[in-house]
């Protein structure tokens, strides 16, 4: 075990320096040990009473160090430590945030340099947001000489009193340690508030106090608010109105990341009115005290609503207790993970490994940041902007009324966009497709959530899979999302109508060619190889090359957008790509392919597969979107392609199959290129056709979901068998050059590489 891990182990055990093994004492002095222990506890916002810090320093020194570090890193005020910081040290949130704002202005830093949650709380407490910050800076700089001599003058321009607050009835009012003079100058109502607040371990319920006296004491920084959260509480996340979209906390070092900030993001995507706090802690594997601190902070900011306890219940639960809100949660590294989506319905009880879960009732429609970005653009309606900000910052949007409002906003946006041109047309197309998909999902009479895929990506796979299993029973991703597929177990997780990991690579194309016995001539070149000339099926003139990368998902390249380049410059580009990834090479020859200008003739056949009566003998006919005509039409293709899709388990899936029109033996034929799973958002006619088909077939029924599981099991086995025959175990990249002829049969690479 490395030395660093040994040190953390002994720090967590509250070991004193004298108790360390001799080998550790040889690499760390007592002064360095004291520093390490304090840093460990301060970074996690731990209470001195329950932390290892009590073994190396006194209480006052610890909290003064903590405040100094928190101010330097612009971290959120440690309300959970208010029992000492507010009561004993008499440091109020107002004074703390005023120091942060003044220091930032003195350094001439932009407002965006203040982390978003710190900025949001500072706005609530001090009343200084982006506009006020800029105005104060301009006012200070207008006094040119004074600004050069003393930049500290900005403090005098900041508000002198805290901004008024609107506490909920169940919030608690706590009083600081008062001096005799302070107490004597109080009114009778104020003195009564202080007396009652002192009689409760976690503060007096706001509902039973004189609000005018409370506000008077608050503006003089003599009371602060405690927001208790109990394990039995249930909370929900409303649209994040008023969110300050600044930067996240510093990531230049591990100590620069605020664990509470990361925990808040997790709560945004995790909280559900169907899940109690204790169950949420088990699912996320986060200590209960940590989670209560995070939910309390979210409630304080107005980004979280407490549902389960009425004011009366809250009063009776804690009037004579030591308090449900335990100060000093240990902000462990587990909370450093990025946000994850959690919404589940769990049975009451026990630690996570003993929980028995009920089947979730929500359907997750998964999009990525690119879609979210389009929705956030200013040309859309305020409703769409509001919910897209929630989706971007919080990771999800849910609730029947919220989804209805979002659909109405998207439809209004489509009307607004009739005169759009250029790139703005993509915005309108995204709005139209999103509205269609959400209405399609609504028609299945299931609760819908809109989930941003990136909110799951930084989690360990096992944890992400566990969260999805407790949150949803059906996952419906949009097609062409960048990055890896969601980690869903086929057998035990939610029914996933999106891609499998291997289906996001060119192996999916190859599986279709080999099972259908039809496809374009193709050459697979492993990473690290170098070509000295182009394959012989590529002409040097009047032709193009289609390249499919094995790392396309990692580099942000969407699967439905292979790289199409002129054959004249293709050799250098191919060799450049081969330095980092394997490549599947295909030809787009002007003599053999019917072209629309410079692009090949492409058609997208929607899935689930629909077979129509064919006017051509020995051919299958399906509706398709024609890239040439820009509308739905129909294509005729060989029946063995239909059989291949059925054998692969994708004929009843959601997505599309891309075909390219080529000449075979003197006749035009539609040849398959690739398969993309998930609801296509583009082009819009294809999206609308898929949605219409899905609405008619009740695709979210139990029978349909079980059919999807069986289909994915087939596809997974086919892809694994194909990959295992061409790569080393545990890898996805091909290990040797190999070709495929027009009948989908593997041939020796020299067949295509001889001069």
């Amino acid at each position: 075990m490395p030395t660093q891990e040994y040190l953390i182990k002994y720090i967590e055990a509250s070991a004193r320096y004298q108790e360390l093994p001799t080998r550790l004492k040889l690499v760390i002095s007592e002064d360095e040990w004291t520093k390490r222990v304090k840093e460990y506890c301060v970074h996690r916002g731990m209470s001195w009473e329950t932390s290892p810090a009590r073994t190396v320093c006194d209480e006052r020194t610890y909290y003064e160090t903590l405040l100094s570090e928190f101010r330097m890193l612009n971290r959120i005020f440690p309300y959970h430590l208010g029992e000492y910081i507010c009561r004993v040290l008499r440091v109020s949130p107002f004074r703390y945030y005023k120091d942060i704002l003044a220091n930032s202005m003195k350094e001439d830093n932009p407002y965006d340099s203040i982390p978003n949650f710190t900025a949001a709380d500072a706005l609530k407490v001090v009343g200084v947001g982006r506009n006020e910050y800029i105005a104060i800076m301009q006012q200070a700089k207008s006094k040119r000489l004074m600004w050069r001599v003393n930049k500290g003058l900005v403090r005098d321009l900041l508000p002198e009193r805290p901004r008024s607050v609107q506490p909920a009835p169940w919030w608690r009012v706590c009083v600081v340690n008062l001096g005799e003079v302070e107490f004597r100058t109080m009114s009778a109502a104020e003195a009564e508030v202080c007396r009652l607040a002192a009689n409760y371990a976690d503060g007096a319920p706001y509902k039973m106090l004189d609000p005018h006296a409370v506000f008077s004491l608050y503006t003089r920084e003599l009371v602060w608010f405690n927001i208790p959260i109990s394990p039995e509480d249930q909370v929900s996340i409303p649209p994040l109105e008023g969110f300050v979209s600044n930067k996240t906390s510093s990531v230049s070092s591990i100590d620069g990341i605020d664990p509470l900030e990361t925990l808040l993001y997790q709560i945004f995507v995790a909280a559900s009115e169907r899940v109690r706090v204790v169950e949420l802690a088990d699912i996320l594997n986060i200590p209960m005290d940590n989670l209560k601190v995070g939910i309390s902070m979210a409630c304080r900011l107005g980004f979280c609503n407490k549902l389960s306890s009425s004011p009366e219940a809250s009063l009776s639960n804690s009037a004579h207790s030591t308090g449900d809100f335990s100060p000093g949660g240990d902000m462990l590294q587990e909370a450093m993970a990025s946000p994850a989506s959690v919404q589940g319905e769990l049975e009451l009880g026990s630690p996570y490994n003993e929980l028995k879960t009920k089947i979730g009732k929500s359907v997750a429609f998964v999009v990525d940041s690119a879609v979210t970005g389009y929705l956030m653009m200013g040309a859309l309606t305020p409703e769409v902007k509001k919910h897209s900000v929630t989706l971007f910052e919080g990771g999800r949007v849910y609730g029947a009324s919220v989804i209805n409002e979002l659909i109405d906003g998207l439809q209004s946006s489509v009307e607004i966009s009739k005169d759009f041109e250029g790139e703005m047309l993509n915005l309108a197309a995204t709005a139209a497709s999103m509205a269609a998909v959400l209405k399609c999902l609504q028609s299945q009479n299931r609760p819908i959530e809109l989930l941003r895929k990136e909110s799951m990506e930084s989690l360990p796979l096992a944890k992400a899979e566990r969260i999805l299993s407790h949150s949803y029973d059906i996952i419906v991703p949009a097609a062409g999302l960048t990055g890896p597929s969601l980690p869903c177990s086929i057998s035990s997780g939610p029914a996933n109508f999106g891609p499998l990991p291997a289906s996001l690579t060119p192996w999916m194309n190859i599986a279709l060619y080999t099972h259908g016995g039809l496809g374009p001539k193709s050459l697979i070149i492993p990473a690290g190889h170098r070509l000295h000339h182009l394959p012989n099926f590529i002409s040097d003139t009047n032709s193009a090359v289609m390249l499919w990368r094995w790392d396309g998902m990692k580099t942000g390249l969407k699967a439905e957008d292979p790289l199409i380049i002129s054959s004249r410059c293709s050799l250098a580009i191919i060799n450049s790509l081969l330095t980092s990834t394997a490549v599947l090479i295909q030809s787009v020859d002007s003599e053999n392919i019917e072209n629309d200008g410079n692009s090949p003739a492409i058609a997208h056949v929607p899935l689930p597969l629909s077979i129509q009566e064919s006017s051509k003998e020995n051919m299958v006919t399906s509706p398709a979107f024609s890239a040439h005509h820009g509308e739905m039409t129909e294509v005729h293709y060989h029946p063995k392609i239909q059989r291949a899709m059925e054998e692969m388990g994708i004929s009843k899936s959601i997505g599309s199959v891309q075909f390219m029109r080529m000449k075979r033996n003197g006749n035009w034929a539609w040849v398959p290129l690739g398969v993309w799973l998930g609801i296509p958002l583009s082009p819009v006619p294809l999206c609308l056709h898929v949605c219409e088909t899905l609405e008619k077939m009740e695709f979210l029924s139990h029978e349909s979901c079980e059919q999807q599981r069986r289909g994915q099991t087939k596809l997974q086995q086919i892809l694994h068998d194909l990959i295992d025959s061409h790569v080393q175990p545990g890898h996805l990249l091909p290990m040797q050059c190999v070709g495929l002829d027009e009948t989908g049969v593997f041939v020796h690479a020299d067949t295509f590489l001889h001069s």
Side-chain angles (χ1 to χ4, degrees):
M1 184 183 293
T3 301
Q4 182 66 23
E5 294 183 20
Y6 266 121
L7 290 175
I8 293 176
K9 176 183 175 181
Y10 282 101
I11 290 174
E12 291 175 344
S14 298
R16 299 179 181 275
Y17 183 77
Q18 294 75 13
E19 299 170 351
L20 297 181
T22 303
R23 63 182 181 278
L24 284 183
K25 292 181 181 179
L26 293 176
V27 298
I28 186 171
S29 66
E30 186 169 1
D31 289 342
E32 180 65 21
W33 170 255
T34 299
K35 179 182 176 182
R36 290 283 191 93
V37 173
K38 288 172 65 176
E39 287 178 350
Y40 179 91
C41 300
V42 165
H43 172 62
R44 289 158 178 79
M46 299 173 70
S47 166
W48 179 86
E49 293 179 342
T50 59
S51 74
R54 70 185 186 278
T55 65
V56 297
C57 64
D58 63 82
E59 190 171 17
R60 188 178 190 89
T61 299
Y62 172 75
Y63 284 116
E64 288 176 345
T65 302
L66 182 144
L67 284 172
S68 176
E69 291 294 320
F70 272 41
R71 286 193 190 97
M72 183 179 67
L73 296 173
N74 293 342
R75 287 179 59 168
I76 305 168
F77 182 80
Y79 290 97
H80 60 290
L81 304 177
E83 187 62 26
Y84 193 92
I85 290 176
C86 296
R87 188 186 301 279
V88 179
L89 294 184
R90 298 285 298 268
V91 176
S92 68
F94 174 75
R95 193 196 312 177
Y96 175 84
Y97 285 126
K98 191 171 178 179
D99 288 343
I100 285 179
L101 291 168
N103 291 337
S104 180
M105 291 176 174
K106 284 171 60 178
E107 297 296 328
D108 208 4
N109 292 330
Y111 182 74
D112 289 342
S113 65
I114 302 174
N116 41 29
F117 292 113
T118 302
D121 199 29
L123 174 59
K124 283 185 171 294
V125 173
V126 184
V128 174
R130 188 182 308 275
N131 294 338
E132 293 81 7
Y133 186 96
I134 294 172
I136 291 172
M137 287 293 291
Q138 290 176 341
Q139 185 179 355
K141 289 182 178 181
S142 66
K143 304 175 182 180
R144 297 181 181 178
L145 180 59
M146 293 181 63
W147 173 252
R148 293 193 189 99
V149 174
N150 179 23
K151 293 187 177 182
L153 63 90
V154 293
R155 178 179 291 276
D156 298 332
L157 302 177
L158 290 169
E160 297 182 355
R161 290 293 180 92
R163 189 181 185 183
S164 61
V165 293
Q166 296 179 336
W170 54 274
W171 287 20
R172 304 304 179 105
V173 179
C174 304
V175 62
V176 304
N177 288 345
L178 297 169
E180 183 177 354
V181 174
E182 290 174 320
F183 189 77
R184 289 181 180 278
T185 57
M186 289 181 182
S187 66
E190 292 172 345
E192 179 65 9
V193 167
C194 293
R195 185 187 66 79
L196 289 172
N199 287 341
Y200 291 82
D202 57 347
Y206 174 72
K207 182 184 178 182
M208 63 182 293
L209 303 176
D210 181 343
H212 298 289
V214 171
F215 178 72
S216 175
L217 292 168
Y218 177 77
T219 57
R220 284 144 57 195
E221 303 174 58
L222 299 179
V223 297
W224 80 96
F225 294 102
N226 180 19
I227 301 180
I229 301 295
S230 75
E232 300 303 314
D233 285 336
Q234 293 168 291
V235 295
S236 67
I237 305 296
L240 301 182
E241 299 184 69
F243 190 92
V244 180
S245 297
N246 280 5
K247 74 179 188 70
T248 55
S249 59
S250 172
V251 294
S252 58
S253 68
I254 192 70
D255 291 335
I257 304 173
D258 188 349
L260 180 55
E261 178 182 291
T262 303
L263 181 56
L264 283 167
Y265 277 119
Q266 293 189 11
I267 291 168
F268 285 168
V269 296
S272 167
E273 60 272 14
R274 297 185 296 155
V275 177
R276 296 175 303 147
V277 172
V278 63
E279 296 164 340
L280 190 58
D282 288 332
I283 295 171
L284 288 176
N285 194 25
I286 292 176
M288 176 59 66
D289 282 343
N290 289 8
L291 187 58
K292 289 195 291 184
V293 168
I295 293 176
S296 175
M297 189 68 221
C299 290
R300 187 183 299 274
L301 292 171
F303 298 151
C304 186
N305 293 331
K306 182 176 172 182
L307 303 177
S308 59
S309 297
S310 65
E312 291 80 12
S314 180
L315 173 60
S316 66
N317 285 342
S318 54
H320 301 289
S321 68
T322 57
D324 290 328
F325 185 81
S326 174
D330 178 7
M331 309 304 273
L332 295 173
Q333 288 301 113
E334 181 63 33
M336 304 294 293
S338 59
S341 169
V342 180
Q343 181 184 3
E345 192 174 53
L346 307 181
E347 294 182 354
L348 309 184
S350 59
Y352 171 76
N353 58 3
E354 298 177 3
L355 282 175
K356 296 181 179 179
T357 65
K358 300 176 183 177
I359 296 178
K361 298 299 181 183
S362 293
V363 178
F365 174 43
V366 185
V367 297
D368 59 10
S369 291
V371 174
T372 308
Y374 273 122
L375 299 181
M376 290 178 67
M377 295 179 67
L380 293 177
T381 62
E383 293 80 12
V384 174
K385 290 182 65 176
K386 175 178 68 175
H387 296 306
S388 60
V389 168
T390 301
L391 180 62
F392 183 80
E393 297 290 356
R396 68 170 181 159
V397 172
Y398 75 102
S401 61
V402 173
I403 295 296
N404 285 332
E405 186 179 46
L406 179 57
I407 292 174
D408 292 341
L410 289 168
Q411 292 174 333
S412 298
S413 299
V414 175
E415 293 296 320
I416 294 172
S417 64
K418 289 181 177 179
D419 297 327
F420 283 2
E421 297 178 353
E423 184 66 22
M424 296 298 288
L425 291 175
N426 290 333
L427 185 152
T430 300
S433 295
M434 288 289 293
V437 173
L438 291 174
K439 285 185 70 67
C440 171
L441 295 174
Q442 260 190 346
S443 70
Q444 305 296 304
N445 298 318
R446 304 290 297 271
I448 307 168
E449 290 196 12
L450 190 56
L451 175 66
R452 187 169 60 86
K453 183 172 178 284
E454 288 81 1
S455 66
M456 300 291 294
E457 286 188 342
S458 297
L459 289 171
L461 290 180
K463 182 175 182 180
E465 183 177 355
R466 183 176 74 241
I467 289 171
L468 289 172
S469 296
H470 285 82
S471 304
Y472 313 104
D473 57 357
I474 300 173
I475 304 290
V476 184
L481 302 182
T482 57
S485 61
L486 292 175
C488 298
S489 169
I490 295 177
S491 59
S492 59
N496 179 18
F497 285 86
L500 299 171
S503 69
L504 293 172
T505 69
W507 290 121
M508 187 69 172
N509 303 28
I510 297 168
L512 183 61
Y513 308 154
T514 56
H515 276 72
L518 185 65
K521 289 181 179 179
S522 307
L523 180 63
I524 303 170
I525 306 295
H529 284 242
R530 184 176 180 84
L531 292 182
H532 298 288
H533 56 81
L534 292 174
N536 57 22
F537 58 76
I538 298 176
S539 171
D540 287 332
T541 59
N542 300 321
S543 66
V545 178
M546 186 178 296
L547 305 178
W548 306 78
R549 307 167 53 142
W550 256 264
D551 68 345
M553 290 296 99
K554 296 180 180 179
T555 58
L557 183 67
K558 291 189 176 182
E560 64 266 33
D561 297 324
L563 185 62
I564 301 178
I565 56 177
S566 170
S567 61
R568 298 176 184 274
C569 61
S570 59
L571 185 61
I573 295 176
I574 291 171
N575 284 327
S576 176
L577 292 176
L578 289 173
T579 60
S580 59
T581 184
V583 177
L584 175 66
I585 305 173
Q586 295 172 343
S587 173
V588 186
D589 195 297
S590 60
E591 295 181 359
N592 295 330
I593 300 178
E594 185 179 59
N595 286 308
D596 170 28
N598 296 320
S599 61
I602 297 292
H604 302 266
V605 173
L607 298 175
L609 190 62
S610 176
I611 305 299
Q612 301 175 347
E613 184 177 348
S614 179
S615 60
K616 294 191 176 183
E617 187 177 357
N618 298 324
M619 299 295 283
V620 173
T621 301
S622 292
F625 174 81
S626 170
H628 173 66
H629 297 97
E631 61 184 10
M632 295 301 295
T633 179
E634 59 181 31
V635 297
H636 310 279
Y637 53 94
H638 201 284
K640 58 187 177 182
I641 301 301
Q642 177 192 355
R643 291 193 295 270
M645 287 189 272
E646 292 172 352
E647 292 174 2
M648 295 171 65
I650 61 173
S651 62
K652 300 299 182 183
S653 296
I654 302 175
S656 64
V657 180
Q658 191 180 62
F659 285 78
M660 183 166 62
R661 192 164 172 79
M662 305 178 67
K663 270 190 176 179
R664 291 295 171 90
N665 301 321
N667 298 316
W668 290 107
W670 285 102
V671 177
L673 280 183
V675 180
W676 296 279
L677 301 177
I679 293 186
L681 296 182
S682 177
V684 176
L686 179 63
C687 175
L688 295 178
H689 184 91
V690 170
C691 290
E692 289 174 4
T693 303
L694 295 176
E695 288 181 16
K696 297 174 183 177
M697 60 181 295
E698 297 183 352
F699 76 104
L700 297 184
S701 66
H702 176 74
E703 181 181 352
S704 178
C705 291
E706 290 304 308
Q707 185 180 55
Q708 174 67 10
R709 293 182 193 276
R710 292 192 295 270
Q712 282 203 321
T713 301
K714 282 185 183 179
L715 180 59
Q716 185 180 57
Q717 188 60 52
I718 287 172
L719 291 173
H720 283 184
D721 291 345
L722 176 64
I723 294 169
D724 289 345
S725 63
H726 291 87
V727 306
Q728 293 179 350
H731 293 77
L732 281 177
L733 294 178
M735 303 303 296
Q736 59 183 359
C737 296
V738 65
L740 284 95
D741 64 17
E742 293 179 341
T743 63
V745 175
F746 285 104
V747 297
H748 198 281
D750 289 344
T751 305
F752 296 144
L753 288 176
H754 69 268
S755 302

